[in-house]
C-alpha cells in the first residue's frame, strides 16, 4: 500500500507550466468548472492500485474565494524539479515526504491541467464533485478519482498576489483598540499593514498569573511557528500577508504549540485529525475577565465537537501548554512589565516581615517617607503616590 493523497494534490500544484507560473512559489488551486478551491484538511491517504481504490478524503474543495481568503489550508507551495516533475508542500507536509516520489501533470490549452496518477497501466484523474448533489450545495465539494475525464477534471493555478488572490488575516479578539489572533501556518510571510506585529510566549509565571511575550523581528515571520498576531484592523482586506520565501526570523524558547488540522468527520473516519482540548493543561488566546489579552480556558462554543468525546482545537491556531496547577487565566505582559510586577512581589514579600510602618521603593530600598511621586511598598502593599 502506498500513500496517494498528495500525489493527486501535488499534481494540482504542478500547474506550474501555466502562464501564471513563474517558478517555485505559493498558489491556490481552483477547479475550472466548479470554481472551488482545494483545501488540505489532513495529511493521510492511501492507494490500492490492484483493488482500484484511491483515498482522497483528506482534501475537500470550497468556494467562493471570500470563504477561503483567510484559510491557510488552501495555500500550497510548488517546487519545480524540471520536466513537469514537482513536489508540493502544504500544512506541514508534502508529496515527497508522503510517497517518496514526484508527480507529473498534463498541460492543456487555456491554462487547464489534467491532474493524474498512473501505475501498472491504470490512470486516475482528479475530479471535483458535490458532497451531496441532492442538497444543491455548490460551495462545498470533495475529490474523487476517475478514469474518464470531463469538465470537472480541469484545474487552474492561481498565483498569490496582493490584489485579487491574496491571503488576509481576520483577528476576532479586540483589546485596547487593537486586534489579536493566534496563528500557525506552514508558510513564511511579511506583514503589509502598518502596525502589525507577531509575538511568542517565552515564560509563564503561575504565581503572578502571567504569560510573557517577546516580539518576532529580524526577517520574514517564520513558517511552522505558532505565534500571536496583533493588527490595527479586523478587516481581512486590511491585513494582507505577503507570502514568500526568504530569510526567516529566528525564534527560540517558544512555549506555544501549533495545530494544523481540525478534521472531525465521524467516530471511525480514517481522516480524523485533530488535537483534543484539555482544560487542565491547555490555554487559548482570549480576553481575560479583567478585559486584558491573555491565555484563558477555551469556550467549547469556539471548538468543534469530537464524536469520540471532547472538543477539537481550531486548525491553524496556537495554544499554550500549562501545568495542572496553572490558573484559569494568564495575563499577557512584556518582559519589562513582568520585571516590574516580579519586583513588586519580591519587595512585598520583604516588606511583610518588616515593621508595619516601613516604606520601600521598587528597588527594595527602605525610604524615610513617600514624598516623591512614584510607586512604593507600604505595609506590604503597593501604593502609588502622585
Amino acid at each position: 500500500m502506498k500513500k496517494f493523497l498528495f500525489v493527486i494534490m501535488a499534481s494540482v500544484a504542478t500547474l506550474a507550466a501555466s502562464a501564471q507560473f513563474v517558478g517555485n512559489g505559493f498558489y491556490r488551486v481552483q477547479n475550472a468548472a466548479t470554481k472551488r478551491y482545494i483545501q488540505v484538511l489532513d495529511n493521510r491517504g492511501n492507494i490500492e492500485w490492484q483493488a482500484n481504490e484511491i483515498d482522497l478524503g483528506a482534501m475537500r474543495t470550497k468556494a467562493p474565494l471570500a470563504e477561503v481568503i483567510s484559510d491557510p489550508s488552501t495555500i500550497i507551495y510548488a517546487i519545480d524539479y524540471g520536466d513537469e516533475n514537482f513536489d508540493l508542500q502544504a500544512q506541514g507536509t508534502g508529496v515527497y515526504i508522503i510517497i517518496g516520489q514526484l508527480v507529473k501533470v498534463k498541460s492543456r490549452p487555456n491554462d487547464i491541467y489534467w491532474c493524474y496518477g498512473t501505475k501498472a497501466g491504470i490512470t486516475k484523474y482528479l475530479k471535483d464533485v458535490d458532497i451531496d448533489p441532492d442538497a444543491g450545495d455548490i460551495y462545498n465539494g470533495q475529490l474523487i478519482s476517475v478514469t474518464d475525464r470531463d469538465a470537472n477534471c480541469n484545474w487552474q493555478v492561481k498565483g498569490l498576489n496582493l490584489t485579487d488572490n491574496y491571503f488576509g488575516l481576520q483577528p476576532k479578539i479586540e483589546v485596547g483598540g487593537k486586534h489579536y489572533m493566534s496563528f500557525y501556518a506552514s508558510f513564511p510571510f511579511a506583514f503589509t499593514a502598518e502596525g502589525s506585529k507577531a509575538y511568542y510566549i517565552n515564560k509563564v509565571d503561575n504565581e503572578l498569573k502571567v504569560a510573557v511575550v517577546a516580539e518576532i523581528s529580524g526577517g520574514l515571520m517564520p513558517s511552522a511557528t505558532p505565534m500571536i498576531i496583533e493588527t490595527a484592523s479586523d478587516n481581512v482586506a486590511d491585513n494582507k500577508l505577503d507570502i514568500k520565501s526568504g530569510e526567516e526570523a529566528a525564534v527560540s524558547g517558544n512555549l506555544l504549540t501549533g495545530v494544523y488540522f481540525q478534521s472531525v468527520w465521524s467516530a471511525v473516519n480514517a481522516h480524523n485529525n485533530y488535537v483534543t482540548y484539555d482544560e487542565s493543561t491547555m490555554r487559548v488566546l482570549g480576553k481575560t475577565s479583567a478585559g486584558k489579552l491573555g491565555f484563558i480556558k477555551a469556550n467549547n462554543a469556539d471548538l468543534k465537537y469530537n464524536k469520540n468525546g471532547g472538543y477539537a482545537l481550531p486548525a491553524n491556531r496556537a495554544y499554550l501548554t500549562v501545568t495542572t496547577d496553572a490558573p484559569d487565566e494568564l495575563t499577557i505582559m512584556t518582559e519589562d512589565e513582568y520585571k516590574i510586577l516580579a519586583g513588586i512581589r519580591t519587595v512585598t514579600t520583604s516588606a511583610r516581615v518588616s515593621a508595619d510602618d516601613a516604606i520601600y521603593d521598587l528597588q527594595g530600598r527602605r525610604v524615610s517617607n513617600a514624598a516623591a511621586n512614584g510607586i512604593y511598598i507600604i505595609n506590604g502593599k503597593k501604593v502609588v503616590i502622585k
Side-chain angles (χ1 to χ4, degrees):
M1 179 181 291
K2 287 192 183 247
K3 301 235 174 151
F4 186 73
L5 159 66
F6 283 90
V7 172
I8 295 295
M9 188 174 70
S11 297
V12 176
T14 63
L15 308 176
S18 139
Q20 299 188 55
F21 184 77
V22 293
N24 298 349
F26 295 93
Y27 303 91
R28 285 192 178 98
V29 176
Q30 184 181 38
N31 188 272
T34 67
K35 304 303 180 184
R36 292 187 292 240
Y37 296 85
I38 286 184
Q39 297 175 293
V40 181
L41 303 180
D42 184 24
N43 59 0
R44 293 166 295 188
N46 297 306
I47 178 171
E48 285 282 6
W49 285 104
Q50 298 303 320
N52 200 25
E53 295 178 358
I54 298 176
D55 176 8
L56 298 174
M59 294 183 293
R60 292 290 177 96
T61 57
K62 191 174 184 66
L65 180 61
E67 292 295 317
V68 302
I69 203 76
S70 298
D71 186 353
S73 75
T74 65
I75 307 301
I76 58 178
Y77 183 64
I79 304 177
D80 184 359
Y81 284 90
D83 194 27
E84 294 188 331
N85 291 296
F86 285 81
D87 189 16
L88 169 70
Q89 297 174 355
Q91 290 286 78
T93 188
V95 58
Y96 196 81
I97 294 174
I98 295 295
I99 65 169
Q101 65 183 60
L102 304 175
V103 295
K104 289 179 176 288
V105 297
K106 186 173 182 61
S107 176
R108 304 299 298 160
N110 301 318
D111 296 331
I112 296 296
Y113 285 80
W114 293 336
C115 308
Y116 63 92
T118 298
K119 186 174 181 179
I122 300 173
T123 298
K124 289 283 190 175
Y125 296 88
L126 185 67
K127 180 178 180 177
D128 184 23
V129 298
D130 296 340
I131 294 177
D132 185 354
D134 296 330
D137 180 5
I138 64 172
Y139 297 114
N140 294 280
Q142 62 185 343
L143 300 178
I144 64 173
S145 60
V146 297
T147 55
D148 297 322
R149 298 183 303 268
D150 61 18
N152 283 35
C153 294
N154 294 337
W155 297 91
Q156 295 178 316
V157 67
K158 301 289 182 180
L160 293 184
N161 55 47
L162 296 176
T163 54
D164 60 352
N165 188 36
Y166 62 86
F167 182 95
L169 297 170
Q170 191 172 30
K172 296 184 177 180
I173 303 168
E174 182 178 2
V175 176
K178 296 180 180 180
H179 303 270
Y180 298 89
M181 65 182 292
S182 67
F183 190 67
Y184 184 60
S186 60
F187 48 78
F189 64 90
F191 292 113
T192 64
E194 184 176 352
S196 297
K197 298 179 181 179
Y199 305 90
Y200 65 99
I201 300 296
N202 62 9
K203 186 182 302 180
V204 172
D205 188 321
N206 286 344
E207 182 180 351
L208 291 179
K209 302 180 180 181
V210 169
V212 181
V213 294
E215 185 175 353
I216 302 174
S217 59
L220 292 175
M221 297 301 101
S223 59
T225 302
M227 63 184 69
I228 302 165
I229 290 180
E230 172 187 298
T231 66
S233 170
D234 61 354
N235 187 336
V236 174
D238 294 334
N239 297 322
K240 298 176 183 178
L241 299 184
D242 186 5
I243 298 174
K244 57 186 178 181
S245 299
E247 184 177 355
E248 301 179 17
V251 174
S252 62
N254 190 359
L255 300 182
L256 296 176
T257 301
V259 177
Y260 276 126
F261 306 111
Q262 191 194 40
S263 297
V264 182
W265 306 116
S266 67
V268 296
N269 194 295
H271 295 289
N272 286 339
N273 195 338
Y274 52 84
V275 175
T276 300
Y277 171 64
D278 181 354
E279 70 171 14
S280 67
T281 60
M282 295 178 179
R283 299 292 182 269
V284 298
L285 190 68
K287 189 181 293 188
T288 69
S289 56
K292 297 182 178 181
L293 187 68
F295 279 89
I296 63 176
K297 288 189 173 181
N299 184 336
N300 287 345
D302 298 327
L303 309 178
K304 182 181 288 187
Y305 178 67
N306 166 18
K307 295 178 176 60
N308 286 314
Y311 292 84
L313 290 168
N316 298 109
R317 294 295 182 266
Y319 65 90
L320 179 65
T321 300
V322 298
T323 57
T324 55
D325 62 343
D328 291 354
E329 299 181 342
L330 293 163
T331 301
I332 289 178
M333 290 185 177
T334 64
E335 181 68 24
D336 288 343
E337 292 169 333
Y338 171 68
K339 285 180 178 179
I340 292 175
L341 186 61
I344 292 174
R345 173 179 58 184
T346 301
V347 174
T348 300
T349 301
S350 174
R352 283 175 179 167
V353 298
S354 303
D356 288 345
D357 60 352
I359 302 174
Y360 294 84
D361 63 17
L362 290 183
Q363 284 69 49
R365 300 171 299 197
R366 186 166 180 169
V367 297
S368 58
N369 58 66
N373 293 347
I375 301 176
Y376 298 88
I377 305 300
I378 303 176
N379 293 330
K381 296 181 179 180
K382 181 177 68 172
V383 177
V384 179
I385 305 296
K386 297 183 178 180

